[in-house]
Amino acid sequence: MLAGEPGIGKSALADAFAEAARRRGAGVTWGRCWEAGGAPAFWPWTQALRSYARGREPQELRDQLGTGAAEVAQILPEVRELLPAVPAPPELDPDTARFRLFDAVATFLRNAAARRPLVIVLDDLHVADRPSLLFLEFLAAELSTAPIVVVGAYRDTGLPRDHPLLPTLVEVARHPITERLQLRGLG
């Protein structure tokens, strides 16, 4: 997690890290939270998944999605374009549906990273929607056994005590794989 004030270099540092990972053979994908509001739920994850899926052959994508294709298609409509036979997800209560979605996306990412390590950069998490933050919490618990690195960048100035990002930061920090880097200005 990269924290700091606006303009301190969080995005530039994430970009440099992503480029170094790419040179070492990792797949890199980005998602940015939309600061102007009105973006659909899971927008940064949709962007990251879309970027990854665009470079895949339909059979490779089908294999990586596995049995969770219907769930992943809820936030990544391209799945149905590339794989028209994907059925609609079953009607479930909201909590069960959300869990199945989270599990399906996490499984997809683990399968994708099995071929080569994966770096997912999520920028501007301070304006992320709550569902995106909940998925980040879910994924943090799943990452210890996968060659996946999630880099989250956020402004840590001016966040009110009830900001939705704060419980997410606490939750992801519970996992020993999480590191927080506080960027500060130069003296």
Side-chain angles (χ1 to χ4, degrees):
M1 303 299 289
L2 300 175
E5 64 187 56
I8 197 74
K10 299 175 298 295
S11 299
L13 180 58
D15 190 45
F17 176 79
E19 184 54 37
R22 188 177 287 117
R23 282 194 307 268
R24 291 186 169 156
V28 175
T29 186
W30 281 75
R32 288 184 173 82
C33 301
W34 181 247
E35 293 196 56
F42 301 107
W43 181 242
W45 294 105
T46 299
Q47 289 181 311
L49 295 172
R50 179 177 288 151
S51 172
Y52 177 82
R54 280 188 184 139
R56 304 294 159 261
E57 294 295 324
Q59 185 58 50
E60 179 185 11
L61 189 60
R62 183 179 295 111
D63 292 344
Q64 291 173 350
L65 288 165
T67 60
E71 284 79 12
V72 175
Q74 294 176 88
I75 64 170
L76 186 62
E78 290 82 352
V79 167
R80 284 202 170 75
E81 292 172 17
L82 294 168
L83 308 171
V86 169
E91 295 280 332
L92 302 168
D93 69 88
D95 288 339
T96 302
R98 181 179 66 197
F99 182 85
R100 285 183 57 148
L101 169 65
F102 286 7
D103 186 53
V105 174
T107 298
F108 172 48
L109 292 172
R110 273 194 306 276
N111 291 342
R115 179 169 262 193
R116 73 182 214 191
L118 184 60
V119 174
I120 303 166
V121 181
L122 302 174
D123 205 3
D124 294 324
L125 284 176
H126 56 280
V127 292
D129 59 283
R130 187 68 186 134
S132 291
L133 295 173
L134 286 172
F135 180 66
L136 178 59
E137 292 175 25
F138 182 91
L139 189 61
E142 303 287 314
L143 289 180
S144 64
T145 61
I148 299 172
V149 173
V150 176
V151 177
Y154 63 95
R155 293 179 188 167
D156 63 348
T157 56
L159 296 180
R161 292 165 45 112
D162 63 343
H163 194 282
L165 177 60
L166 298 178
T168 296
L169 295 174
V170 170
E171 182 60 29
V172 299
R174 289 181 339 106
H175 303 284
I177 59 169
T178 302
E179 291 189 37
R180 182 173 181 268
L181 179 60
Q182 176 73 44
L183 301 184
R184 302 194 190 285
L186 301 175

